[in-house]
Amino acid sequence: MQSKKSKENIGITALYCRLSRDDGSDSESNSIANQKRLLSQKAKEYGLTNTKCYVDDGYTGTNFNRPGFQAMLDDIDMGYVSTVMVKDLSRLGRDYVAVGNYTDSYFPDRNIRFIAVNDMVDSDEGENELAPFRNVMNEMYARDISRKVRSAHRIRGNCGEPLSQPPYGYLKSPENKKKWIIEPEAAAVVRDIFRMCMEGKGNETIAHILSDRKIMTPTAYWRERGINRGGKKSQPDPYKWKNSTVGKILANQEYCGDIINFKTYSKSFKNKARIENSKDNWVIFKDIHEPIIERSVFERVQEIKSKTKRRAPKADNGGKHLLSDYLYCADCGKKLWYHTNTLNKDIHYFSCSNYEKDYRGTCKSRHYIRADAVEQVVKLELRRLAGFLRDDEETFAEILSQKTNKDILREQKHLESELNKAITRSETVSRLYEKLYEDNATGKVTDEWFMQLSHKYEVERMELKAKISELRQKLNAIGEMQYGKDAFISAIRKFMQMDTLTAPLLQELIDHIEVYETEGVGKNRTQRIVIYYRFVGYIEIPEVPIVLRDNYIADTRQGVAVEYIPGKSA
């Protein structure tokens, strides 16, 4: 069995060096080269010749998951290391609990000699009473640096400087690193993704299309161009897109030309994990850099994504129907599901997802409607609109103008009323808080009562602040609705040219469609459908030529026909 002295002679002396941005003005004296030079010299003075350097350059001392440090621990566990030497205790780490665990338990349990040169710590000479205090001071230094960095970070973020790396499709400007410029190749992919979403394709479908086209994923794209970004460093297939990646791109408002800061935060300087921040705490600066996606397109995509919970279609359903995301039950308000007849695969239909018998819901009626029938009814209604626009464009535009102006005015009055109430209450709460403070200072209100009421007022004040901000945003959005009339007419003209239904056309024209239960029996069976258009809602069209007013009759099954008639809004 070897003696301790013999083990020291043949064991490795680990010279551990660490440097990070936390070291501030001491970075020169703490440089890796300086640490190596000092530790090598001291190792020779101690007679420790079998040395090996372990280096972590650019790693914080509050986190011990560092590659160099972990490699040293692996060698210690394998029995290769007999001595660990650092410049000072702060190089080992800046978490006094973790550092104390290594110096007081981990190293002694493995018969490892520990030396911190500048702090005059050498475990062979016994315990050092000052070491715990130095560890506490090292952590306090890290805490203070973190506080200063966070403060500077917040100041820069509130001034509109981007705090995050530019997203896929942008690069930092060579002239000004705080500005983003468009990277044409990646930007073209981003535009394709938004276009495919507007066409009705889901995230999974878009991901498959990009993979089939052999388009590199963002991580692979950055790695090929030598851009240091997050993500896996090695990927077996650089062309394998995921639906989550597509979803993140579609939700990224920065593509409109905006800068959004404080999307995430960390709990403390010890825990660097990023946590999603509430949108109320985001700071948004609009139109800072050149947009890749038009704002109207981005907002429409967000509407599409918010309305649909996309699922992979069943194999026997023949894929997703064009109208799947538009049909709703007129009685319970739930979405209609798309089905294929089990006996006749050529028959496709919709029915209420909340039907009480088959789907264990609460809706009393099935609201069955053939897919081909509802498609024909929608085309018929659009032809009626197109005919009205063609025959009397001035009256058509006037009807839309009156309707949009009426709806906008009603909504605007409601929002303004709510905003005035919230502002008034916020001012009242501020006055109440001031009076409470004065009463507490003069002794009229106890400290305990002051703490309870002040907390209550502060919570209400923050809620009112968020509500006021939301109402102002809605009022700003009201102005954009004024342009809905022109967009609606433009979409009708597109239909007049094509006379076919497409996913982009439906997204421009239709908000949702209400389907009622069939009424009557035999030849008198009818079913009402009400179409609500984007921007303008339901439109009641005046009398038009008889050829355009014919109702549609569909054979739902052998011997049974249903006549679909235009509906009137409730």
Side-chain angles (χ1 to χ4, degrees):
M1 183 174 181
Q2 294 175 327
S3 65
K4 179 180 178 182
K5 185 174 182 62
S6 174
K7 180 182 177 184
E8 287 178 353
N9 289 334
I10 66 170
I12 292 173
T13 296
L15 308 181
Y16 180 70
C17 311
R18 183 188 65 80
L19 181 68
S20 78
R21 289 177 295 179
D22 296 343
D23 298 307
S25 60
D26 297 332
S27 59
E28 183 60 32
S29 63
N30 279 328
S31 69
I32 296 298
N34 180 284
Q35 292 181 56
K36 285 182 178 179
R37 202 162 38 245
L38 174 67
L39 295 178
S40 297
Q41 179 183 343
K42 289 296 180 181
K44 288 180 181 179
E45 293 177 8
Y46 282 107
L48 304 171
T49 57
N50 187 14
T51 61
K52 180 179 179 181
C53 285
Y54 299 84
V55 177
D56 284 316
D57 194 356
Y59 288 86
T60 177
T62 58
N63 187 344
F64 288 82
N65 188 23
R66 320 170 207 137
F69 187 78
Q70 292 299 319
M72 183 179 73
L73 295 186
D74 290 341
D75 287 350
I76 290 174
D77 291 337
M78 294 295 291
Y80 298 148
V81 178
S82 61
T83 305
V84 172
M85 185 180 290
V86 295
K87 177 176 178 286
D88 54 52
L89 288 167
S90 69
R91 298 306 92 203
L92 190 66
R94 292 189 182 276
D95 184 327
Y96 80 93
V97 174
V99 171
N101 178 61
Y102 282 113
T103 57
D104 297 343
S105 301
Y106 183 84
F107 293 151
D109 290 348
R110 291 159 178 78
N111 293 322
I112 301 295
R113 180 183 180 184
F114 176 71
I115 301 173
V117 177
N118 287 356
D119 289 333
M120 293 180 291
V121 173
D122 186 345
S123 60
D124 274 7
E125 297 178 359
E127 293 184 2
N128 187 309
E129 290 80 3
L130 293 178
F133 296 100
R134 289 195 176 97
N135 287 333
V136 172
M137 293 301 294
N138 288 332
E139 178 172 317
M140 290 180 66
Y141 176 85
R143 188 188 301 273
D144 183 59
I145 289 294
S146 175
R147 179 182 58 79
K148 292 177 180 177
V149 169
R150 284 171 182 261
S151 177
H153 188 77
R154 182 155 292 278
I155 291 172
R156 289 188 290 113
N158 283 320
C159 289
E161 181 181 329
L163 300 179
S164 61
Q165 293 289 339
Y168 177 70
Y170 285 105
L171 292 172
K172 288 183 179 180
S173 170
E175 290 78 19
N176 185 352
K177 299 297 183 183
K178 297 178 182 179
K179 297 293 183 182
W180 295 350
I181 58 174
I182 290 178
E183 202 292 310
E185 185 177 344
V189 177
V190 173
R191 293 188 186 100
D192 272 349
I193 291 173
F194 275 84
R195 177 185 55 77
M196 287 187 279
C197 180
M198 289 285 287
E199 291 174 352
K201 295 181 176 64
N203 293 356
E204 191 73 35
T205 303
I206 296 173
H208 281 305
I209 291 173
L210 296 175
S211 299
D212 292 342
R213 292 179 182 174
K214 296 297 180 183
I215 294 175
M216 282 190 172
T217 64
T219 302
Y221 180 84
W222 289 321
R223 188 173 64 250
E224 186 187 62
R225 283 155 180 77
I227 301 174
N228 186 21
R229 298 293 295 275
K232 294 182 180 179
K233 300 302 179 185
S234 60
Q235 291 177 305
D237 185 357
Y239 307 108
K240 186 174 178 57
W241 283 74
K242 295 182 179 179
N243 59 356
S244 58
T245 305
V246 174
K248 288 178 181 178
I249 288 175
L250 291 173
N252 199 333
Q253 187 177 329
E254 280 88 342
Y255 290 126
C256 297
D258 301 344
I259 292 293
I260 304 179
N261 290 329
F262 310 118
K263 284 175 144 182
T264 62
Y265 70 97
S266 59
K267 284 188 174 180
S268 72
F269 73 102
K270 290 184 179 181
N271 185 353
K272 303 297 182 181
R274 305 305 297 178
I275 301 170
E276 294 293 329
N277 209 347
S278 168
K279 288 189 177 182
D280 294 337
N281 297 325
W282 290 6
V283 178
I284 302 175
F285 301 87
K286 291 190 175 182
D287 304 319
I288 301 300
H289 49 261
E290 185 180 356
I292 293 177
I293 301 299
E294 293 180 9
R295 195 174 299 276
S296 60
V297 173
F298 177 81
E299 290 173 352
R300 182 55 186 152
V301 166
Q302 305 320 301
E303 287 182 25
I304 294 169
K305 306 304 287 184
S306 65
K307 286 184 179 180
T308 60
K309 294 182 180 179
R310 298 182 182 273
R311 302 178 300 169
K314 296 180 180 179
D316 60 350
N317 271 10
K320 185 181 180 69
H321 192 271
L322 200 64
L323 295 169
S324 289
D325 295 329
Y326 296 93
L327 302 180
Y328 289 83
C329 175
D331 294 322
C332 71
K334 299 294 184 180
K335 186 177 287 189
L336 267 60
W337 282 350
Y338 179 55
H339 304 275
T340 297
N341 189 293
T342 54
L343 299 179
N344 187 346
K345 301 297 182 182
D346 293 330
I347 296 178
H348 307 284
Y349 64 94
F350 291 92
S351 62
C352 180
S353 59
N354 191 38
Y355 183 41
E356 65 176 355
K357 292 184 179 179
D358 295 341
Y359 314 119
R360 300 179 182 179
T362 59
C363 193
K364 301 299 182 182
S365 302
R366 193 180 184 195
H367 295 77
Y368 174 98
I369 185 170
R370 284 274 295 266
D372 53 356
V374 70
E375 188 173 340
Q376 290 300 320
V377 170
V378 171
K379 289 178 70 174
L380 177 64
E381 285 296 292
L382 292 181
R383 285 176 188 153
R384 295 173 70 225
L385 278 178
F388 183 27
L389 175 63
R390 182 182 59 248
D391 296 340
D392 193 349
E393 181 174 345
E394 185 176 344
T395 303
F396 187 87
E398 181 62 25
I399 290 175
L400 292 187
S401 179
Q402 291 176 357
K403 184 166 184 59
T404 53
N405 290 343
K406 179 182 176 182
D407 292 342
I408 289 172
L409 185 61
R410 182 171 60 249
E411 179 68 10
Q412 187 174 11
K413 285 183 178 179
H414 172 70
L415 291 174
E416 288 175 346
S417 173
E418 291 297 311
L419 178 60
N420 289 332
K421 289 178 183 177
I423 292 174
T424 301
R425 178 57 186 170
S426 180
E427 293 172 350
T428 301
V429 169
S430 296
R431 288 196 299 271
L432 289 172
Y433 184 84
E434 290 176 4
K435 187 176 186 307
L436 179 67
Y437 181 83
E438 292 174 359
D439 289 346
N440 177 252
T442 57
K444 294 181 180 179
V445 173
T446 64
D447 291 343
E448 182 180 359
W449 188 236
F450 172 76
M451 291 298 295
Q452 291 181 5
L453 285 179
S454 63
H455 175 70
K456 174 187 173 184
Y457 289 149
E458 179 63 18
V459 170
E460 185 178 3
R461 189 183 70 83
M462 294 303 294
E463 290 176 348
L464 287 168
K465 180 181 177 182
K467 184 177 181 180
I468 290 170
S469 176
E470 181 183 359
L471 289 170
R472 282 175 173 161
Q473 288 179 4
K474 288 182 178 179
L475 278 170
N476 290 335
I478 286 288
E480 298 179 6
M481 292 176 62
Q482 303 285 357
Y483 302 101
K485 177 186 66 176
D486 296 333
F488 184 76
I489 292 177
S490 175
I492 290 291
R493 292 190 190 282
K494 290 180 184 179
F495 178 74
M496 290 169 65
Q497 295 171 0
M498 297 182 296
D499 196 40
T500 56
L501 297 181
T502 64
L505 180 68
L506 290 174
Q507 287 162 8
E508 289 187 50
L509 277 173
I510 296 178
D511 183 77
H512 70 281
I513 301 170
E514 290 185 353
V515 178
Y516 289 76
E517 180 62 11
T518 54
E519 298 178 354
V521 294
K523 294 181 178 180
N524 295 321
R525 285 169 61 88
T526 60
Q527 188 167 22
R528 187 152 61 101
I529 296 173
V530 180
I531 300 177
Y532 292 86
Y533 299 97
R534 292 194 66 213
F535 306 111
V536 296
Y538 174 77
I539 301 176
E540 191 164 342
I541 304 172
E543 288 296 318
V544 293
I546 189 68
V547 67
L548 295 174
R549 289 192 290 107
D550 289 342
N551 298 328
Y552 178 75
I553 300 177
D555 294 323
T556 57
R557 58 184 183 274
Q558 187 174 3
V560 178
V562 176
E563 181 181 11
Y564 295 98
I565 60 174
K568 294 184 179 181
S569 62

